[in-house]
Amino acid sequence: MDRHTSQNYIEPSQASRPYKVALTVAIVLVVATLTVTVLLIIIGSARQEDFQATLTAVHTDFVELQNTVGANLAAFPLRLASEPRYSAAEDCMTQVVEGEIQPPPDVPADAYRVQVWGDGLAVQHVPLGADGRWRLELREVQGRHLWVQIVHQNGYYASVPVPLELAGEGCTHNRVAIRFEPRAAAP
């Protein structure tokens, strides 16, 4: 068998040990960086898709509940007193969601809290005053879909989720007021 006899040829066993270690570390770092980058992209995309899927599922469940024949909404002690009223907020740079709750007899208004969530908004818990009023100001002005639901301090839902839609531009549709009242007892 012929051996290579060039002057520049180095036997593999004679290669520098630090060079081999540095090359191995560099390759591992490149592969690890690419793997982490791909994982972060996948996780970020999945979170956004999951968030949108959750909002869609809540809306779909609400619509399905409304459309189901014989749906027992009497399980919720509170209902909307009237349709949400949209108007202009005092400041065009804010969006305002406010309301009032008239609790059932023998239940203090501050036994409830308001839960608000929606597009670009993490779940917010807004306490009620003793007079049953509440207010939430959102500083990031954008068009968004929101849901408002009343929750009793014991953790049960006292109303169905109410869908709202605030405008992102202009001051004509960036404030909404809603009122809840006790559900009439069935005869």
Side-chain angles (χ1 to χ4, degrees), residues 97-119:
V97 183
E98 61 187 0
E100 180 182 354
I101 297 174
Q102 177 189 350
D106 302 326
V107 177
D110 58 1
Y112 297 104
R113 71 176 186 276
V114 180
Q115 183 171 289
V116 181
W117 73 96
D119 298 343

Side-chain angles (χ1 to χ4, degrees), residues 48 51-52 55 86 92-97 117-121 138-147 164-175:
Q48 182 65 24
F51 181 70
Q52 291 302 326
L55 292 178
Y86 292 91
C92 287
M93 300 308 293
T94 62
Q95 291 177 320
V96 178
V97 183
W117 73 96
D119 298 343
L121 180 68
L138 305 170
R139 294 287 176 196
E140 297 172 13
V141 176
Q142 60 185 4
R144 64 176 85 198
H145 296 281
L146 298 175
W147 285 268
L164 304 172
E165 187 171 345
L166 296 172
E169 297 178 8
C171 290
T172 61
H173 207 71
N174 62 344
R175 177 183 184 170

Side-chain angles (χ1 to χ4, degrees), residues 32-151:
T33 302
L34 289 175
T35 303
V36 168
T37 302
V38 168
L39 285 174
L40 288 175
I41 290 170
I42 291 170
I43 289 171
S45 175
R47 280 188 175 170
Q48 182 65 24
E49 288 172 9
D50 286 347
F51 181 70
Q52 291 302 326
T54 301
L55 292 178
T56 302
V58 167
H59 182 68
T60 302
D61 289 348
F62 176 68
V63 170
E64 186 176 312
L65 178 64
Q66 284 181 325
N67 294 333
T68 302
V69 175
N72 183 12
L73 296 179
F76 298 106
L78 298 174
R79 67 179 185 89
L80 272 179
S82 60
E83 289 296 314
R85 288 186 336 258
Y86 292 91
S87 62
E90 299 86 17
D91 178 8
C92 287
M93 300 308 293
T94 62
Q95 291 177 320
V96 178
V97 183
E98 61 187 0
E100 180 182 354
I101 297 174
Q102 177 189 350
D106 302 326
V107 177
D110 58 1
Y112 297 104
R113 71 176 186 276
V114 180
Q115 183 171 289
V116 181
W117 73 96
D119 298 343
L121 180 68
V123 176
Q124 305 282 316
H125 295 279
V126 183
L128 282 153
D131 62 354
R133 295 183 186 275
W134 58 275
R135 180 180 172 103
L136 175 64
E137 288 189 17
L138 305 170
R139 294 287 176 196
E140 297 172 13
V141 176
Q142 60 185 4
R144 64 176 85 198
H145 296 281
L146 298 175
W147 285 268
V148 173
Q149 189 167 27
I150 307 303
V151 181

